[in-house]
Amino acid sequence: MKSVLVIGIGRFGYHLIDQLSKAGDEILAVDSSEERLEPVLGMVTSSLIGDATNETFVRSLGVESFDVCFVAIGDNFQASLETASLLKECGAQYVVARASRSVQKKFLLANGADAVVFPEKQLAEWAAIRFCSGKVVDYLEFPGEYSIFEVKVPTEWIGDSLVNLGIRNKLHLNVLSIKRNGKPILEFPADFIFEEGDTVTIFGADKDIQKCFGIKY
């Protein structure tokens, strides 16, 4: 269980709190509007109305005691920037800030944010890859140009084995699991034979995944 501060309760802030509460985390929700706080009151440990660009108010939150501080302000970049800076000045351990445009990232990272997320952009990328490639079942992007993909087994793999295909040695990919008839197979021998309808969850460098499966992203 983690202690989390969420500042800014718009759509992103609401869904973030919803997920954190399901994980059992302790959450302090902060917003300048009582109206925006009302929908999350049943999901958070506590809530406060206040201006997160005010140093006195931010210091009163005891931000150094939170494992993660989220700046989820979406409609006022100046306020987001000031809040991220104040959080770090006041001793926040780890600050994650929301951005709507790529150009905002460098300013947030230079002014207190340890990480920056782009909810709309990242969701759009996921949706485009997931629903328009014709091959991808699901995927998760990792830092450093690595990803986990669940993909339909290529036609040329059917009837062949892991070891014979050289998935690790030749293709430089790691098979994490295989799904057959909707059931995951987590332990499989090197001579496991692929069948039509199988899906495979693989981890590897983006360039190797793109080359192997012809996925452009």
Side-chain angles (χ1 to χ4, degrees):
M1 181 177 68
K2 290 188 176 293
S3 178
V4 183
L5 171 64
V6 180
I7 298 176
I9 316 302
R11 285 174 294 182
F12 174 60
Y14 174 86
H15 290 296
L16 178 62
I17 287 172
D18 183 38
Q19 292 300 313
L20 292 170
S21 67
K22 290 174 181 176
D25 292 327
E26 293 184 349
I27 309 162
L28 170 58
V30 173
D31 199 284
S32 58
S33 167
E34 181 179 3
E35 182 179 355
R36 287 195 292 268
L37 281 169
E38 285 181 1
V40 302
L41 293 180
M43 298 187 285
V44 300
T45 310
S46 55
S47 62
L48 284 173
I49 301 169
D51 178 7
T53 65
N54 181 286
E55 183 176 353
T56 302
F57 175 72
V58 172
R59 288 194 180 279
S60 74
L61 300 176
V63 298
E64 68 281 355
S65 65
F66 292 95
D67 295 302
V68 185
C69 297
F70 287 95
V71 182
I73 301 168
D75 56 355
N76 187 332
F77 178 64
Q78 183 63 35
S80 181
L81 195 63
E82 291 179 22
T83 299
S85 180
L86 272 177
L87 285 169
K88 190 57 73 172
E89 286 178 16
C90 293
Q93 298 180 46
Y94 198 81
V95 179
V96 180
R98 175 183 186 259
S100 57
R101 294 185 296 153
S102 298
V103 69
Q104 296 174 350
K105 180 178 179 179
K106 65 178 181 179
F107 292 106
L108 288 165
L109 291 175
N111 288 274
D114 296 291
V116 176
V117 295
F118 301 85
E120 293 87 356
K121 179 184 177 184
Q122 289 165 332
L123 178 58
E125 289 175 350
W126 177 88
I129 294 171
R130 166 66 179 82
F131 296 106
C132 296
S133 71
K135 304 174 183 178
V136 178
V137 178
D138 203 353
Y139 96 104
L140 177 64
E141 184 179 1
F142 273 70
E145 299 183 348
Y146 287 84
S147 300
I148 291 178
F149 269 76
E150 183 182 358
V151 297
K152 298 175 183 177
V153 169
T155 303
E156 58 269 24
W157 288 18
I158 296 171
D160 213 338
S161 67
L162 283 165
V163 66
N164 192 54
L165 289 165
I167 292 176
R168 176 174 291 180
N169 296 328
K170 297 178 183 178
L171 304 179
H172 311 296
L173 301 174
N174 292 288
V175 176
L176 304 181
S177 69
I178 299 165
K179 190 179 291 183
R180 178 169 292 171
N181 299 322
K183 297 181 179 180
I185 303 170
L186 303 179
E187 296 182 8
F188 37 85
D191 59 355
F192 181 93
I193 303 297
F194 289 108
E195 296 180 1
E196 187 174 357
D198 288 351
T199 64
V200 58
T201 300
I202 52 96
F203 172 77
D206 292 343
K207 61 180 179 64
D208 294 323
I209 295 172
Q210 291 170 357
K211 181 179 179 180
C212 180
F213 299 102
I215 301 169
K216 297 180 179 179
Y217 61 96

